[in-house]
Amino acid sequence: MRSSRPSKRLSRLGSNSGPGVAYHRTQSVRTVLNEGEDDEIECIGYKRSVLRVVLCYIGMIWTAGILWLIFYWRADWKLKCMAYQVCLSEATWVLIKDGYTQNHVSKVQRLTIDKDSGLTREDIKLMLRKDVLVNSHEFRFFRYQKLKYIWNPTDGVFSKLRALDDGVKSYEFFQQLQGLSEDEQRKRRFLYGENVINIRVRSYFVLLIQEVLNPFYVFQLFSVLLWFSDEYYYYASCIVIMSAGSIFISLVTTRKQSVMLRDMVASSHMVQISRSGEEFMVDEKKLVPGDVLVIPPNGCPMTCDAVLLTGNCIVNESMLTGESVPITKTPLPNNEQEANVIYSPEEHKRHTLYCGTQVIQTRYYGSELVKAVVVRTGFSTAKGTLVRAILYPKPMDIKLYRDALKFISVMFGIAAIGFIYTIIVLALQDATAREIVLKALDIITIAVPPALPAALTIGIVYAQNRLKRKSIYCISPSRINLCGTLDVVCFDKTGTLTEDGLDLMGVVPAENARFSKMVTNIQQLPFDNLLVAMTTCHSLTRIQGELNGDPLDVKMFDATNWTLEEPTETESSNFDMLMPTIVKPPGTVQNYNETVPNSDFKQVGTEVGIVRQFPFSSSLQRMSVITRTLGEDHMAVYSKGAPEKILSLCSTKSIPEDFHKMLVGYTKQGFRVLAIAWKPLDPSLQWHKALKVPRDDVENDLQLLGLLVMQNKLKPETTPVIKELIAAQIRIVMVTGDNMLTAVNVARKCGILQPHDRVIMVEALPPDGIKVENITWTYAETDIPPESPSQETSLNAIIVQMEANHKTNYHFAMGGKSFAAIRDHYPYLMPRFAVSGTVFARMSPNQKAQLVESLQELEYSVGMCGDGANDTGALKTAHAGISLSEAEASVASPFTSKIPNITCVPEVIREGRAALVTSFSMFKYMALYSVIQFVSVMILYSIQSNLGDFMFMYIDLCIITVVAIFMGRSEAYAKIVTRKPLSQLMTTPILASLILQITVQALVQTTAFFVLKLQSWFEPLVPNEEDYYANIKCYETTTIFLVSCFQYLIVAVAFSTGKPYTKPIYRNYLYSGALVVLTIFTTIVVLVPWDKLENLLELRSYPVYAFRGVIIGIAVGNLVISLLIEFGVVPRYWLKYILECMWCRETKPSRKFNAVEIEMENDPEWPPLEGASYPTVEHPAEAGEDNGNSSKELLSNQETQTGVNEKGDGVSSTQF
């Protein structure tokens, strides 16, 4: 799929450099590779400096390995420190920047062309169609995501190593039918490598090293060593045991996933190839581009991508497309007209056999073998691309994690203050240097919560398991949180909202440019061209006796009650040549001269052979067949497809005047309509010429035979789900490849469009030179005047009368052509259509992805639900892509549902919201945990005391760990409410909650400390200068410890949100039970003087029992205030208003799509009246100057004012 837009950084790079190769030659330090494609990257050349390398290694030694760790985490920093930028022609390393602002480093390698390779300069030039040798005996390349990029000294740029899928003309393949010699194979294998898809499974030792060097565990290791040095042996030992268990589980899980992926893609087969006219069996690993495969009659698994040259293949492509319907692959056209057409695996997919698919059986003519030429091998194949999508998934910029890192940096700042404070306090107390260092460093481990990143994922893990129990599988757990923020969900139609299969309602025959009444019983049709078209114009085949093919074709053929045979050579001898398929009516008529009454069709013979198929093409929107009826002296062509396409191929004399009225009548009722046409071919067209004739030569001047009317029923689950989403104010968009009118009707039936909503059909064409805006608007439900059959525009218009107030409840609907025209020629209108567009019909797979990207650029959080391969691009692009297919192609989608209906969408949203609010709650809890403990230690440091070993253990292991594990178990609330949860941490409610709670907890501890000092029996600590740890058992430490224990439990309760995103806290039985047990135990510790427990925790018993009640009273007061803040103060809008006034913040649209909505609301000319063109100016720029509020200008101003695009508030288009 071609990317619809490069990243902003790469766009700027291209704009400064000028187009194409000229840029590469003038700016040879850096270049853009794969421009305009999904994998577009920027490549910058570097060369190592000996001096810089030496200085860096010295720095690693001086910093005790800290610099080495930083370089390990950031390879791009290492490269920039050790190397300097040079021209790409001199580079030994390259820095690669992808479209998601991530950096990668790769070494430039040199491959020497020696005698062992057998290659010459001419061989390389012939294979690559360009000269890439540098010094006549070597070429330079680097690897990136399993692909090679070769240096081209002529153009001064690296380019992806391609095989026969780039720049090869069709006729060139037929010149290679004899196959490659063994010497040629060896040469190509030297260049392209073996045909393998290797998944590296790392050893446990390597995985262990990688896991231990994770920043989280490095900080944990630093903390543990510090605690051991500070004689916190028990606590440190428990942390070591817990970390070891976590690492062990991670290692086993990671290796298990790697082994599963390796086994999934592993392949070991022997294949038959043709070499110099002879057939040989070789290992699939030995295949190279240019080899000629011989496909056996009973089929075989495809281990490479190959273009079919002779014979037909029935292929199961469910691995790629998710559709189990076998597909017929036909040979690449071999005629003069298409000889010079450049082959493309995407455009010629009907002639391409893809790696990972299964050839079920082959069809061939006479003794001719079925042959295909290998075009791609290894990771370059279709299967290899899927595997690379798994290995290198699209990164998502999760705002929660980004804000969490900001918070950690703030805590580091607080820790630095505490670090300085500790040094000063302990120095004034004449502490030893060792003691000062240990205590100061310990402040860092207390203030900065090392477990925060892990804690944020706990809710996600629970949500993932709950989804799995509902047969919804997630391969990208970080996307679960994004599901909780969805603003819009895009749905495919066929197979997603509606049933996969179609029911045949009937056919409407057309004869003498007039329509007849619909025939619902197909078996009552006379034996004429319409019946023959229905029995032959399909791609059905028999596999093990069962009829297989497109469900629509199966329904159509079954309705005729004819039989389909794939005969032997003897059975088809009546046709002179072998026919791939023969169709017969029930009880073959032997009197070939009999004429059917009331029919102009002379029944020469009832057996019809299908000579050739022109497969269905989504770009052409039709399929055709060439047939020959037994006993006739000529062949005929039959075509079936989208009415507008078939209409454009028909003679105007055969088209009824009421064609459009008839078509609109059926499509408005939600029926799917196909047109059928035919024409007899010249008797001089012989069989061998028919196999080579271009389809354009026969698909013209056809005679319309009638309309095929199919009914596509909604799935019973569709309407309730749509209503639930709309009730939650989640916008619904339909994006389909089907007819516009059918799509609008289905949208109305399922509730996407309400009965009172108006639909505005938009038809956009490129500027024609006379008027700049070539856009027409049609309001629905008005009758459509008859128009010329050759005009497609009338088909894109249905419908509804305008109301007096035309600004309310309107929806735009447009087709794929209009969508492309608007994106290319009227981009200033694209934001408005993206905000108000509801039905997008006749959309190609690439356009579906482009629509998702357009929504993301407006800062929508976008979900996509689809079931077929044509949805893969959109599923990958969306924040939350949900596939209803279980095919391996679904690896492109973060979510896969085994339940083939859209009930999975609200489930994912519910769990996403629950996981998101749980992550926020966990974040706030871990933040308060760090602050509470930080305040405790700061107070105790002031009197030369600290918490004891078992005090830390009780807090961290018994309270914090239990809360962190069980808090995330809160299940999702059953109802999806209108109000969406907050999507980022840096918002007024969360910041207000944190600031107020931190203030309260600090004041409560300070209050308890001073209340203690006011007691008449209080004896202040007299520091023991010789034994610092003897200072732990004192009244001050005991009081601070007991109060803080209650605080950890209080904030846990306060941050347990409950409705409306999760079930109430008491429904989380383990969590609520743990809190009750811990509260009771802590209360017992306070109220019950138990010597053994007090000695274990190093508590000093109070001489007056009443003070124990004071501590309970302080805890209760703390609980009341904390709950009042969370449930009484923070949710109130007046607090947000006051804070915004204090911070002098202006009220402005929170996100870009809100700005567009305001703009449209304030535009008196929007939406345009029927037939109008908006805006009426000579140039789009003038519209912005005149109105002062164009979408582009308004969005630009908003981005400048709020800084949301790059600074964390919004979703940048480059981040997804």
Side-chain angles (χ1 to χ4, degrees):
M1 183 191 76
R2 306 276 303 180
S3 175
S4 61
R5 51 103 182 101
S7 68
K8 289 186 176 180
R9 172 176 50 77
L10 300 190
S11 297
R12 291 196 296 266
L13 179 64
S15 63
N16 293 335
S17 61
V21 177
Y23 162 72
H24 301 143
R25 290 176 176 170
T26 56
Q27 301 288 338
S28 56
V29 172
R30 60 179 66 200
T31 185
V32 175
L33 309 182
N34 311 325
E35 194 165 0
E37 299 182 13
D38 268 350
D39 54 352
E40 178 176 301
I41 56 176
E42 179 186 354
C43 180
I44 306 172
Y46 281 86
K47 189 173 184 178
R48 282 199 171 184
S49 164
V50 176
L51 178 60
R52 290 189 178 196
V53 171
V54 171
L55 291 175
C56 286
Y57 278 106
I58 292 174
M60 293 177 194
I61 296 173
W62 283 354
T63 59
I66 295 178
L67 183 60
W68 180 87
L69 267 177
I70 294 174
F71 284 165
Y72 175 80
W73 295 329
R74 293 298 303 266
D76 55 327
W77 291 5
K78 178 181 178 181
L79 181 64
K80 291 176 180 179
C81 290
M82 291 187 172
Y84 56 92
Q85 286 191 15
V86 295
C87 296
L88 287 169
S89 58
E90 301 175 7
T92 56
W93 292 83
V94 289
L95 178 65
I96 300 167
K97 298 184 178 182
D98 61 25
Y100 309 106
T101 68
Q102 292 190 337
N103 295 334
H104 313 266
V105 174
S106 183
K107 184 177 182 180
V108 178
Q109 304 177 51
R110 293 177 180 266
L111 190 60
T112 303
I113 309 300
D114 53 21
K115 294 181 180 179
D116 295 335
S117 68
L119 283 169
T120 64
R121 190 186 196 100
E122 288 70 25
D123 292 331
I124 297 289
K125 190 173 182 179
L126 179 64
M127 281 189 277
L128 300 181
R129 292 172 293 284
K130 53 191 172 186
D131 190 359
V132 299
L133 294 188
V134 180
N135 298 318
S136 74
H137 64 279
E138 65 179 11
F139 62 88
R140 305 166 62 240
F141 70 94
F142 68 85
R143 295 182 185 274
Y144 172 66
Q145 294 187 351
K146 302 294 184 180
L147 299 180
K148 278 184 181 179
Y149 286 79
I150 303 290
W151 173 251
N152 184 347
T154 304
D155 294 336
V157 63
F158 284 98
S159 58
K160 189 185 297 183
L161 175 62
R162 296 186 182 274
L164 302 184
D165 59 329
D166 179 47
V168 181
K169 297 180 179 179
S170 296
Y171 77 89
E172 296 182 63
F173 288 106
F174 292 94
Q175 294 177 346
Q176 301 183 34
L177 273 177
Q178 294 300 312
L180 302 175
S181 66
E182 189 172 357
D183 183 58
E184 289 173 323
Q185 286 179 323
R186 182 169 52 84
K187 292 178 180 178
R188 298 196 179 206
R189 196 173 302 115
F190 181 82
L191 180 63
Y192 293 105
E194 290 191 331
N195 177 38
V196 292
I197 301 177
N198 280 330
I199 303 297
R200 181 184 175 189
V201 178
R202 295 179 174 87
S203 65
Y204 281 111
F205 177 76
V206 173
L207 290 174
L208 175 63
I209 298 299
Q210 292 178 338
E211 191 73 16
V212 170
L213 292 180
N214 182 287
F216 164 73
Y217 287 113
V218 169
F219 188 79
Q220 197 80 290
L221 178 62
F222 164 76
S223 302
V224 166
L225 293 175
L226 183 66
W227 296 329
F228 272 119
S229 301
D230 207 13
E231 300 181 16
Y232 285 95
Y233 300 120
Y234 295 109
Y235 177 67
S237 299
C238 289
I239 295 298
V240 168
I241 293 172
M242 291 179 62
S243 298
S246 176
I247 291 174
F248 174 77
I249 294 173
S250 178
L251 293 184
V252 172
T253 303
T254 302
R255 184 173 170 85
K256 181 181 178 181
Q257 291 175 344
S258 298
V259 171
M260 288 178 59
L261 181 60
R262 181 194 62 187
D263 294 342
M264 182 184 76
V265 304
S267 176
S268 179
H269 297 92
M270 298 296 291
V271 295
Q272 187 176 6
I273 64 170
S274 178
R275 183 183 298 162
S276 301
E278 299 182 8
E279 281 68 51
F280 297 89
M281 298 298 294
V282 298
D283 192 317
E284 64 175 30
K285 296 179 181 179
K286 302 297 182 183
L287 290 177
V288 296
D291 270 331
V292 176
L293 282 177
V294 178
I295 312 297
N298 295 326
C300 64
M302 289 301 300
T303 59
C304 61
D305 288 354
V307 57
L308 187 62
L309 298 186
T310 62
N312 289 359
C313 290
I314 311 300
V315 184
N316 180 358
E317 289 190 339
S318 60
M319 187 277 289
L320 295 177
T321 66
E323 299 172 3
S324 58
V325 177
I327 297 173
T328 301
K329 299 285 185 173
T330 58
L332 189 70
N334 182 21
N335 52 66
E336 294 181 2
Q337 184 175 342
E338 300 186 53
N340 291 316
V341 173
I342 301 297
Y343 168 76
S344 167
E346 288 73 30
E347 294 181 8
H348 296 88
K349 59 184 178 181
R350 278 293 186 174
H351 315 299
T352 304
L353 305 174
Y354 294 104
C355 179
T357 62
Q358 177 74 35
V359 178
I360 302 173
Q361 67 184 38
T362 63
R363 296 175 178 173
Y364 54 91
Y365 305 105
S367 59
E368 186 177 11
L369 297 175
V370 178
K371 295 182 178 180
V373 173
V374 178
V375 293
R376 295 186 298 204
T377 57
F379 279 100
S380 297
T381 61
K383 183 177 180 179
T385 302
L386 283 177
V387 174
R388 288 193 294 113
I390 300 174
L391 296 176
Y392 311 103
K394 173 185 174 183
M396 298 298 292
D397 187 13
I398 310 298
K399 289 181 287 186
L400 171 63
Y401 299 150
R402 189 174 66 235
D403 291 345
L405 291 176
K406 292 179 181 178
F407 175 79
I408 289 178
S409 65
V410 171
M411 293 306 296
F412 263 113
I414 296 175
I417 297 173
F419 182 86
I420 297 171
Y421 170 82
T422 302
I423 292 175
I424 295 173
V425 169
L426 294 180
L428 293 175
Q429 296 171 354
D430 296 325
T432 64
R434 179 179 183 275
E435 186 178 327
I436 292 174
V437 171
L438 290 178
K439 296 304 178 185
L441 291 176
D442 192 34
I443 283 295
I444 298 177
T445 67
I446 292 172
V448 180
L452 179 59
L456 291 178
T457 64
I458 291 177
I460 295 175
V461 172
Y462 283 120
Q464 185 179 15
N465 290 332
R466 289 194 295 267
L467 286 172
K468 187 176 180 180
R469 290 196 296 268
K470 297 172 183 176
S471 298
I472 303 171
Y473 297 87
C474 176
I475 63 170
S476 181
S478 61
R479 303 280 189 111
I480 294 178
N481 274 349
L482 293 178
C483 296
T485 66
L486 293 184
D487 304 296
V488 55
V489 180
C490 301
F491 288 100
D492 177 39
K493 184 182 75 68
T494 306
T496 302
L497 299 176
T498 62
E499 300 286 357
D500 282 320
L502 295 169
D503 294 326
L504 180 62
M505 183 178 179
V507 292
V508 183
E511 188 176 3
N512 298 327
R514 291 184 180 181
F515 280 120
S516 305
K517 291 184 178 180
M518 176 183 286
V519 177
T520 55
N521 187 349
I522 306 303
Q523 297 180 31
Q524 293 180 355
L525 283 176
F527 188 89
D528 60 5
N529 287 311
L530 180 57
L531 182 61
V532 173
M534 295 180 65
T535 58
T536 59
C537 196
H538 52 69
S539 57
L540 301 178
T541 185
R542 288 200 176 275
I543 300 175
Q544 297 180 349
E546 295 292 328
L547 200 62
N548 281 272
D550 187 283
L552 185 151
D553 290 341
V554 173
K555 289 279 187 182
M556 178 182 69
F557 186 81
D558 284 344
T560 66
N561 203 28
W562 281 43
T563 58
L564 180 143
E565 297 179 359
E566 293 170 347
T568 63
E569 189 170 350
T570 303
E571 292 172 330
S572 61
S573 59
N574 289 334
F575 292 91
D576 299 328
M577 299 298 292
L578 180 63
M579 294 292 169
T581 303
I582 296 174
V583 293
K584 301 178 182 179
T588 304
V589 178
Q590 298 299 324
N591 184 3
Y592 300 141
N593 294 319
E594 180 181 349
T595 302
V596 178
N598 302 321
S599 175
D600 295 333
F601 188 94
K602 184 179 180 182
Q603 189 171 348
V604 178
T606 51
E607 293 185 11
V608 183
I610 303 174
V611 178
R612 184 183 178 187
Q613 292 180 358
F614 296 106
F616 174 80
S617 168
S618 57
S619 60
L620 300 177
Q621 297 182 10
R622 65 179 183 271
M623 75 159 296
S624 299
V625 293
I626 296 177
T627 69
R628 182 184 164 203
T629 304
L630 182 63
E632 284 195 340
D633 59 354
H634 64 83
M635 300 181 187
V637 60
Y638 293 91
S639 294
K640 177 190 69 182
E644 57 267 33
K645 293 297 181 181
I646 298 298
L647 206 64
S648 65
L649 303 176
C650 287
S651 168
T652 56
K653 296 180 180 180
S654 66
I655 301 173
E657 292 183 359
D658 59 345
F659 179 89
H660 296 290
K661 182 178 180 180
M662 182 74 69
L663 177 62
V664 168
Y666 285 118
T667 53
K668 281 173 60 177
Q669 298 176 61
F671 296 118
R672 183 173 181 182
V673 181
L674 299 176
I676 301 176
W678 88 295
K679 81 170 181 180
L681 297 178
D682 193 323
S684 63
L685 181 66
Q686 299 299 315
W687 180 86
H688 65 280
K689 290 184 179 179
L691 296 178
K692 297 182 179 181
V693 64
R695 67 187 301 171
D696 290 342
D697 288 356
V698 294
E699 291 179 332
N700 58 66
D701 200 27
L702 303 178
Q703 304 294 311
L704 184 68
L705 292 174
L707 301 176
L708 189 68
V709 183
M710 314 288 286
Q711 187 175 14
N712 196 192
K713 296 180 180 178
L714 284 173
K715 292 181 179 180
E717 302 84 2
T718 296
T719 302
V721 170
I722 296 298
K723 288 182 178 179
E724 181 180 10
L725 297 178
I726 291 177
Q729 292 187 5
I730 296 175
R731 184 178 157 210
I732 308 297
V733 173
M734 180 190 291
V735 50
T736 177
D738 207 344
N739 178 276
M740 173 73 75
L741 306 185
T742 303
V744 170
N745 180 272
V746 171
R748 287 198 182 277
K749 283 185 176 180
C750 68
I752 296 177
L753 297 174
Q754 299 300 315
H756 58 276
D757 291 347
R758 291 173 300 106
V759 178
I760 304 175
M761 297 297 188
V762 179
E763 183 183 0
L765 298 173
D768 57 9
I770 300 175
K771 55 181 180 179
V772 177
E773 287 78 20
N774 199 352
I775 305 176
T776 56
W777 320 74
T778 305
Y779 283 69
E781 303 269 43
T782 56
D783 292 331
I784 299 177
E787 298 200 20
S788 170
S790 61
Q791 293 182 350
E792 186 181 334
T793 58
S794 58
L795 296 175
N796 287 334
I798 62 175
I799 298 143
V800 216
Q801 297 179 351
M802 290 177 55
E803 299 177 3
N805 184 3
H806 71 291
K807 294 186 73 67
T808 59
N809 297 328
Y810 65 90
H811 302 263
F812 289 119
M814 67 178 66
K817 286 185 177 180
S818 297
F819 179 82
I822 290 169
R823 290 189 84 253
D824 294 339
H825 302 285
Y826 317 108
Y828 54 94
L829 291 177
M830 195 64 222
R832 295 191 173 195
F833 289 124
V835 168
S836 299
T838 301
V839 177
F840 295 85
R842 295 296 190 209
M843 297 283 279
S844 68
N846 193 27
Q847 288 174 331
K848 291 183 179 183
Q850 290 171 350
L851 174 62
V852 171
E853 288 177 345
S854 296
L855 292 168
Q856 289 175 338
E857 288 170 359
L858 293 173
E859 297 180 356
Y860 279 108
S861 184
V862 186
M864 173 70 195
C865 184
D867 71 321
N870 56 350
D871 303 313
T872 302
L875 292 172
K876 289 174 60 178
T877 305
H879 297 118
I882 308 173
S883 172
L884 303 185
S885 165
E886 297 181 49
E888 289 182 40
S890 64
V891 299
S893 175
F895 298 90
T896 301
S897 173
K898 285 192 174 182
I899 302 173
N901 58 60
I902 64 172
T903 54
C904 59
V905 175
E907 290 291 349
V908 168
I909 294 175
R910 276 191 285 267
E911 293 296 347
R913 291 186 172 190
L916 183 61
V917 297
T918 299
S919 295
F920 284 146
S921 298
M922 187 62 68
F923 168 81
K924 293 195 293 184
Y925 182 75
M926 296 303 293
L928 264 294
Y929 150 63
S930 295
V931 171
I932 291 171
Q933 198 167 86
F934 177 79
V935 172
S936 300
V937 173
M938 287 290 95
I939 293 174
L940 296 178
Y941 274 5
S942 67
I943 61 170
Q944 284 188 270
S945 182
N946 197 359
L947 297 173
D949 199 352
F950 283 94
M951 290 180 181
F952 277 119
M953 285 182 62
Y954 177 68
I955 292 171
D956 287 3
L957 302 185
C958 296
I959 297 180
I960 306 303
T961 302
V962 170
V963 170
I965 291 175
F966 292 145
M967 179 183 282
R969 294 190 77 257
S970 297
E971 296 184 0
Y973 192 60
K975 181 181 179 181
I976 303 177
V977 297
T978 300
R979 180 164 53 92
K980 298 179 178 65
L982 298 172
S983 61
Q984 53 191 16
L985 292 172
M986 301 305 173
T987 55
T988 301
I990 291 180
L991 290 178
S993 171
L994 283 173
I995 293 171
L996 292 175
Q997 292 288 6
I998 287 173
T999 304
V1000 167
Q1001 310 313 319
L1003 288 175
V1004 167
Q1005 284 198 50
T1006 305
T1007 301
F1009 183 75
F1010 284 106
V1011 168
L1012 173 68
K1013 285 191 171 185
L1014 294 175
Q1015 303 303 309
S1016 58
W1017 47 263
F1018 171 71
E1019 298 177 1
L1021 172 68
V1022 178
N1024 187 332
E1025 303 294 341
E1026 296 181 358
D1027 185 5
Y1028 181 85
Y1029 299 97
N1031 300 333
I1032 294 175
K1033 196 169 184 177
C1034 62
Y1035 292 130
E1036 295 93 328
T1037 302
T1038 300
T1039 301
I1040 293 298
F1041 168 72
L1042 294 176
V1043 170
S1044 66
C1045 285
F1046 280 115
Q1047 287 184 320
Y1048 296 126
L1049 297 173
I1050 288 168
V1051 294
V1053 174
F1055 291 152
S1056 299
T1057 53
K1059 296 192 300 185
Y1061 306 117
T1062 60
K1063 291 182 179 179
I1065 184 173
Y1066 59 82
R1067 295 291 299 275
N1068 186 346
Y1069 303 115
L1070 290 177
Y1071 180 52
S1072 56
L1075 290 178
V1076 170
V1077 170
L1078 289 170
T1079 303
I1080 293 174
F1081 180 81
T1082 305
T1083 304
I1084 290 174
V1085 172
V1086 174
L1087 298 178
V1088 180
W1090 187 5
D1091 293 341
K1092 290 185 178 180
L1093 184 59
E1094 288 181 343
N1095 291 333
L1096 178 67
L1097 295 175
E1098 299 181 80
L1099 303 176
R1100 185 174 181 180
S1101 182
Y1102 298 114
V1104 177
Y1105 190 84
F1107 189 73
R1108 298 176 184 270
V1110 172
I1111 292 178
I1112 297 297
I1114 291 174
V1116 171
N1118 192 348
L1119 174 64
V1120 172
I1121 296 173
S1122 294
L1123 293 179
L1124 182 63
I1125 290 172
E1126 287 303 309
F1127 299 102
V1129 177
V1130 171
R1132 297 295 179 258
Y1133 290 104
W1134 56 263
L1135 175 64
K1136 180 179 179 181
Y1137 177 77
I1138 292 174
L1139 292 176
E1140 286 179 347
C1141 291
M1142 292 174 59
W1143 296 339
C1144 298
R1145 290 178 58 182
E1146 298 180 6
T1147 302
K1148 45 185 165 296
S1150 58
R1151 288 189 283 181
K1152 290 183 179 179
F1153 67 84
N1154 297 128
V1156 176
E1157 290 172 347
I1158 295 172
E1159 175 195 352
M1160 291 190 296
E1161 183 66 27
N1162 295 332
D1163 188 346
E1165 297 182 4
W1166 189 269
L1169 299 177
E1170 185 167 6
S1173 183
Y1174 175 94
T1176 309
V1177 293
E1178 295 183 2
H1179 299 287
E1182 295 178 13
E1185 294 170 2
D1186 293 342
N1187 298 333
N1189 62 348
S1190 70
S1191 297
K1192 185 174 181 181
E1193 180 182 349
L1194 190 147
L1195 295 180
S1196 177
N1197 291 341
Q1198 185 214 357
E1199 184 176 325
T1200 303
Q1201 293 169 2
T1202 63
V1204 298
N1205 197 37
E1206 298 292 340
K1207 298 182 181 179
D1209 257 0
V1211 182
S1212 168
S1213 63
T1214 63
Q1215 296 167 357
F1216 295 96

